[in-house]
Amino acid sequence: MIRSPLGLHVENRLNLSVRDRIEQAALWGAQGIVLSAVGDLSPDQLSETGRRELKQVLRSARLTLIAMHLPTRRPFDTLEGLEARLQRADRAFTLTYALGCSHVIANVGGLPSDERDEGRTHFATALAELAGRASENQRGARGRRPGSTPSSMS
């Protein structure tokens, strides 16, 4: 359960450093922050030293990492490039857990309404694979359907 009453997803539209985004969120009164696993925070880019430094910056700003956001060009209901997206998600789960957080936000796609649509089977298989990868080594994840609110995901 997320305990912080206010957490912000501070996008990097102003080309601020990660440290500056964290400090800005703290100045705005946030108690938690959602960071995107891209650029300097990409699991492939953030070294062990960088991970320790990020945790220290969060502690100094008195912010909790609420979740990591995993942006993808395509949702997980699209077969093209699915394995690469699953591998990237797996690395994001590992990074998120290493940072002391257990939530990853990702656009998983939508379940086709027609039960005979083979895309429905592909989607269910992809979600099962995603959930399996998330639960390995005490990692966890929650997906959000497009257009859903956090309260509708219970």
Side-chain angles (χ1 to χ4, degrees):
M1 171 179 269
I2 299 172
R3 293 184 184 96
S4 299
L6 177 62
L8 299 174
H9 181 196
V10 183
E11 295 183 14
N12 196 16
R13 293 186 180 165
L14 301 176
N15 293 322
L16 297 174
S17 70
V18 173
R19 181 183 302 273
D20 288 342
R21 284 184 275 159
I22 290 169
E23 290 173 357
Q24 189 63 57
L27 287 173
W28 288 336
Q31 293 181 4
I33 191 166
V34 175
L35 296 171
S36 292
V38 295
D40 291 342
L41 295 179
S42 170
D44 298 330
Q45 297 294 322
L46 194 60
S47 66
E48 289 300 319
T49 301
R51 293 171 191 209
R52 285 191 300 273
E53 183 179 346
L54 177 58
K55 288 167 75 171
Q56 179 56 42
V57 170
L58 288 165
R59 273 193 302 275
S60 295
R62 296 190 174 155
L63 286 177
T64 300
L65 179 63
I66 293 174
M68 287 297 284
H69 172 239
L70 175 64
T72 57
R73 289 191 183 118
R74 292 186 181 91
F76 291 85
D77 62 351
T78 304
L79 285 179
E80 185 180 334
L82 178 60
E83 184 56 35
R85 283 192 303 285
L86 288 169
Q87 289 174 2
R88 187 164 169 251
D90 194 41
R91 292 189 301 274
F93 297 146
T94 301
L95 169 64
T96 302
Y97 185 70
L99 293 173
C101 183
S102 62
H103 294 81
V104 173
I105 301 169
N107 176 9
V108 296
L111 180 65
S113 58
D114 185 353
E115 290 184 20
R116 296 169 297 201
D117 185 337
E118 75 176 39
R120 188 177 178 104
T121 303
H122 297 309
F123 179 70
T125 301
L127 280 186
E129 178 68 22
L130 196 60
R133 291 176 187 223
S135 65
E136 293 173 1
N137 301 317
Q138 301 180 15
R139 296 174 288 174
R142 290 191 178 178
R144 182 181 69 79
R145 294 184 305 272
S148 68
T149 61
S151 62
S152 69
M153 291 300 297
S154 302

